[in-house]
């Protein structure tokens, strides 16, 4: 059993919990997920099964994520979401939709972001959340992420803590909790993430996702990598690549990759083109 499953992760489960559930349901040990979702968040969590787990890195490197986020103002928590201890509360009822629109302009293109202390980002080999749990102070490493789009969908003028609903399209590694916290800092009211729904992860869409209790739809790898550079192997080339050998291909001599090698309609290997030689890096047995 090899392929990908587009799952809808419910709130309350970790991404690891979902993987364990799939392993048990499908009775297979080879299961991995693409992109972690916080336990309180819900939405698209792509899962790879069998040999498809070896293809995760190719999708993760190009997958843009889309979210619907609800952020509440006037509340600051230790985790930058509603799961954490409330550290401060303020009256933020003076905020308007216009105030929100002005600060959203800070979150376009490449930005530098500080991850939450309650996250799995590692410092000296140790996750930040462990430092926080042990009461140790540590400086979170800043990281560059890309925000393709951020839009105000709705302003909820609740008193004394108004809220907003946002649409966000961003690169992998972006923490929506960090965006919520930074918006609160810019407005000097504090803010925290109230709810998060991931509606897209690369080619995986919310409308096509499977509930955990349903029969899973297994997506063949070939369906997801159609737009990647590819070569078609002859029988002779296939036998050589299958055993890890390189083969000469018709190219202009550039070095590039990753390239997907097909025999018939099946992915046989991924690798690099070096000059006019395809050199396999990962060889698969899909369909055998």
């Amino acid at each position: 059993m090899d392929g990908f499953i587009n799952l809808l992760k419910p709130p309350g489960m970790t991404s690891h919990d979902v993987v364990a559930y799939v392993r048990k349901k499908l009775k297979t040990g080879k299961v991995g997920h693409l992109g972690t979702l916080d336990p309180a968040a819900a939405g698209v969590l792509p899962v790879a099964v069998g040999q498809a787990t070896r293809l995760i890195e190719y999708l993760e490197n190009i997958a843009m994520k889309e979210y619907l986020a609800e952020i509440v103002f006037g509340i600051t928590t230790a985790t930058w979401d509603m799961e954490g201890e409330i550290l401060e509360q303020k009256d933020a009822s003076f905020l308007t939709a216009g105030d929100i629109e002005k600060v959203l302009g800070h979150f376009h293109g490449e930005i530098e972001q500080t991850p939450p202390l309650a996250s799995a980002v590692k410092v000296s080999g140790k996750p930040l959340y462990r430092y926080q749990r042990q009461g140790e102070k540590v400086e979170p490493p800043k990281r560059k992420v890309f925000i393709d789009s951020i839009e105000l969908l709705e302003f909820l003028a609740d008193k004394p803590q108004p809220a907003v609903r946002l649409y966000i399209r961003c690169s992998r590694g972006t923490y929506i909790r960090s965006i919520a916290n930074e918006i609160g800092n810019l407005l000097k009211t504090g803010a925290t993430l109230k709810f998060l729904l991931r509606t897209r992860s690369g080619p995986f869409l919310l409308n096509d996702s499977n509930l955990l209790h349903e029969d899973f739809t297994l997506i063949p790898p070939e369906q997801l990598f159609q737009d990647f550079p590819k070569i078609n192997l002859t029988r002779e080339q296939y036998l050589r690549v299958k055993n890890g050998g390189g083969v000469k291909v018709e190219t202009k001599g550039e070095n590039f990759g990753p390239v997907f090698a097909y025999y018939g309609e099946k992915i046989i290997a991924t690798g690099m083109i070096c000059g006019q030689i395809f050199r396999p890096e990962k060889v698969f047995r899909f369909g055998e």
Side-chain angles (χ1 to χ4, degrees), residues 19 48 57 63 108 112 200 244 252 286:
V19 167
E57 65 178 280
H108 281 290
E112 199 171 56
R200 180 172 193 154
K252 296 180 181 179
F286 294 129

Side-chain angles (χ1 to χ4, degrees), residues 4 34-35 46 55-66 146 148 169-173 200-204 221 223-229 257-258 260:
F4 292 86
L34 287 75
L55 292 169
I56 286 176
E57 65 178 280
Y58 303 113
L59 288 175
E60 281 191 327
N61 289 338
I62 57 104
M64 293 292 285
K65 312 292 177 65
E66 296 181 12
F146 186 82
D148 183 64
R169 176 180 166 84
C170 56
S171 67
R172 63 174 297 203
R200 180 172 193 154
S201 178
F204 302 94
Q223 185 175 322
L224 299 174
F225 295 96
Q226 297 175 10
D227 296 331
F228 281 68
F260 284 68

Side-chain angles (χ1 to χ4, degrees), residues 128-146:
L128 285 173
Y129 66 81
R130 289 191 180 174
Y131 287 101
Q132 187 185 49
R133 289 175 183 173
Q134 295 165 4
E136 300 179 46
K137 291 186 177 180
V138 64
E139 189 68 28
K142 292 189 176 182
R143 57 205 294 180
K144 289 184 178 180
V145 297
F146 186 82

